[in-house]
Amino acid sequence: MPLKPSFLAPFNEFVAKHYGKDTGKMLIHTGVVGWILSAAAQVMAIVVNDKIPKEQKMYLVPQELADAGVNILSFYTITQGCKSVASKLVKSGKLLPKTIRGILDAKGLTDKVGSKGFDIFKDAALTPAAIKRLEKFKSGVDVTAATIGSVLSCNIVTPIVRNEIAASRQKDLVARMNNADTNHSSYVKPGYAYIKHPSMYDFTHNSSSLKV
Amino acid sequence: MAIYGLNSIRTFSNAVSNRVVNAFPTMTVNSDKANKAISWIGKHISSPENRLILGVSALMSQPFIDLHNKKVDEDTRKVSAARTVAKIIAGTSTGVLIRYGCIKAIDAFSKFPEEITATTKNPRLKTFFTPFEAIKGGLRDLRHYKSALGTLVSLGVMVFTNFLIDAPFTKFMTNKFVDKIHEKDSQKQVQNKEVRDAA
């Protein structure tokens, strides 16, 4: 009996076409989707929580969205940047394994390396075996770059930026609360008036979403 | 609006990466071992391994960033670092296991037509995730495809496990760590008091 494609065929084809050969790209895109889902889950948890007053939700939801924005922007910019540099280094011929460099030298293409528009996969007339070897090398370089980028963004840049934002937010909130306590006529931003003073518990337990 | 934003980031990222590439010297990887290692990474490192590397490196950096955050008091710093450690352990363990499990599951349902015999039960189920290109015989290496699809499925699963496993596990471990920190602090205070009294 001949096998027929399942009803998921269009989705399967899409995944195969876009990520079937490029693990680095998959790591970046699934990383972004992961951050979006984490943030969406956190926002949903706040929205459906009956114990949180509506006025507090008005403050907490934008706060979560702002955190998500920082996470996603930092992750995508840094990781995509690292991967993009790595891919271009290989494609332009600036970073190559010994065997491929030898082929380029033998073909007299050394001067073309790194020049604008030079693509080693298209312009070097490599044999299918050499292209396969180069693709394996490029895939390794891409995955290494994507991993370095994600470590850099998730573990160094994002925590520093998030701590800065959380600390200034905490400071701002305390200042507004003190202002509201001492001067009843002063303007208090909607939502702030209903929030109790932030405690250490609030700061350490609500400062970021759980990464999936 | 969002697409415009993403395009702007991509354009900016491209411009920066072009400058970096231009500034780079030409390099050749001469060592056979290094070339083999790079090819091995491309073939074998996927999202579970990536998540594990992220988790291990997070344990080596994030708690120290929290402990050196001078904008909050010392007690907050300690509790914040404890929460970070708990979050990393919970997130990494579930993240790695669920990714790995989902990729294995996709593997079981992405068989090539030649792997299906007359005795195979549910042949359509066994090729449920096999791309049509592979059924036709055009695509022969499904390793990266299975990793990608497994990772996408795992993200859906983790939306739920984030609340069902990660959050309670993180809370449990944070409380344990915070109790330990407070216990140590109170012991220190008692010791300091004894030293002061003795003096």
Side-chain angles (χ1 to χ4, degrees):
Chain A
M1 183 184 70
L3 285 165
K4 287 180 188 169
S6 70
F7 70 89
L8 276 178
F11 177 66
N12 295 344
E13 294 307 312
F14 175 86
V15 175
K17 186 181 166 194
H18 291 276
Y19 307 114
K21 282 183 179 171
D22 198 344
T23 305
K25 186 174 160 188
M26 180 274 283
L27 290 176
I28 295 171
H29 289 186
T30 53
V32 171
V33 174
W35 277 120
I36 292 171
L37 291 178
S38 286
Q42 294 291 326
V43 171
M44 275 306 288
I46 294 168
V47 171
V48 300
N49 191 340
D50 295 336
K51 289 177 186 167
I52 302 174
K54 199 180 166 189
E55 292 76 16
Q56 274 203 27
K57 286 180 184 176
M58 277 168 61
Y59 168 75
L60 289 172
V61 170
Q63 182 183 315
E64 271 309 325
L65 291 175
D67 274 347
V70 171
N71 293 336
I72 294 163
L73 204 69
S74 144
F75 180 83
Y76 185 73
T77 313
I78 295 171
T79 317
Q80 179 63 38
C82 286
K83 201 233 167 204
S84 173
V85 167
S87 287
K88 281 177 185 169
L89 281 175
V90 178
K91 270 187 176 179
S92 66
K94 281 205 162 182
L95 176 63
L96 291 176
K98 186 174 60 179
T99 48
I100 307 293
R101 177 76 64 208
I103 296 172
L104 280 192
D105 291 345
K107 288 188 174 186
L109 291 168
T110 315
D111 293 345
K112 296 258 180 193
V113 166
S115 60
K116 205 179 175 188
F118 179 71
D119 183 344
I120 192 167
F121 287 96
K122 291 176 188 164
D123 306 327
L126 297 172
T127 59
I131 286 183
K132 205 173 175 187
R133 211 177 312 148
L134 188 58
E135 273 175 351
K136 276 185 188 173
F137 178 81
K138 186 179 171 290
S139 178
V141 172
D142 279 357
V143 171
T144 307
T147 304
I148 291 171
S150 48
V151 167
L152 207 66
S153 70
C154 293
N155 297 340
I156 296 169
V157 177
T158 307
I160 292 174
V161 173
R162 215 162 40 199
N163 275 353
E164 288 288 321
I165 293 172
S168 78
R169 200 183 280 149
Q170 190 190 31
K171 208 172 147 188
D172 179 49
L173 197 57
V174 170
R176 279 171 188 268
M177 290 296 113
N178 289 338
N179 197 25
D181 285 347
T182 52
N183 181 8
H184 292 285
S185 62
S186 70
Y187 171 72
V188 179
K189 198 175 170 184
Y192 280 86
Y194 300 91
I195 304 169
K196 64 182 189 312
H197 281 249
S199 62
M200 185 178 73
Y201 181 91
D202 293 327
F203 178 70
T204 55
H205 286 68
N206 297 321
S207 61
S208 66
S209 45
L210 287 162
K211 189 191 183 316
V212 293
Chain B
M1 187 73 179
I3 290 168
Y4 176 76
L6 266 181
N7 280 337
S8 307
I9 294 169
R10 202 173 294 147
T11 311
F12 174 73
S13 177
N14 260 334
V16 172
S17 63
N18 279 340
R19 276 178 176 262
V20 174
V21 171
N22 287 338
F24 244 84
T26 302
M27 288 178 296
T28 307
V29 183
N30 285 313
S31 153
D32 286 338
K33 267 191 181 175
N35 278 313
K36 271 186 188 166
I38 292 171
S39 297
W40 186 89
I41 288 170
K43 196 173 179 188
H44 293 97
I45 300 287
S46 192
S47 67
E49 294 83 9
N50 179 271
R51 186 68 185 88
L52 186 64
I53 293 168
L54 266 182
V56 172
S57 54
L59 269 182
M60 295 191 293
S61 63
Q62 289 195 26
F64 301 100
I65 292 171
D66 286 337
L67 286 171
H68 288 90
N69 183 10
K70 302 282 180 205
K71 296 202 169 173
V72 291
D73 60 81
E74 200 192 335
D75 206 17
T76 305
R77 283 204 290 267
K78 283 181 182 172
V79 178
S80 176
R83 155 112 171 135
T84 300
V85 171
K87 215 165 68 173
I88 294 167
I89 293 172
T92 305
S93 48
T94 51
V96 171
L97 288 175
I98 291 168
R99 277 175 175 84
Y100 185 75
C102 288
I103 292 170
K104 277 272 163 210
I106 294 294
D107 182 40
F109 302 114
S110 307
K111 299 291 176 201
F112 283 111
E114 59 268 26
E115 291 176 276
I116 307 293
T117 60
T119 54
T120 308
K121 284 179 186 170
N122 291 323
R124 288 212 65 185
L125 195 64
K126 297 275 186 221
T127 57
F128 192 70
F129 292 113
T130 312
F132 193 47
E133 201 53 39
I135 292 176
K136 285 192 296 182
L139 194 61
R140 300 311 304 159
D141 183 6
L142 292 182
R143 185 188 282 264
H144 296 310
Y145 164 78
K146 286 174 194 171
S147 289
L149 196 55
T151 308
L152 286 171
V153 172
S154 72
L155 289 174
V157 174
M158 281 186 284
V159 169
F160 299 99
T161 57
N162 205 8
F163 290 104
L164 299 173
I165 302 172
D166 291 30
F169 191 32
T170 302
K171 194 177 168 190
F172 171 78
M173 278 193 294
T174 306
N175 290 339
K176 288 270 172 208
F177 293 151
V178 170
D179 286 348
K180 274 258 159 86
I181 290 167
H182 287 157
E183 205 177 287
K184 269 192 178 175
D185 282 351
S186 55
Q187 273 176 2
K188 247 187 196 172
Q189 276 175 356
V190 170
Q191 276 175 355
N192 287 345
K193 194 173 180 284
E194 279 171 2
V195 170
R196 271 201 309 270
D197 290 347

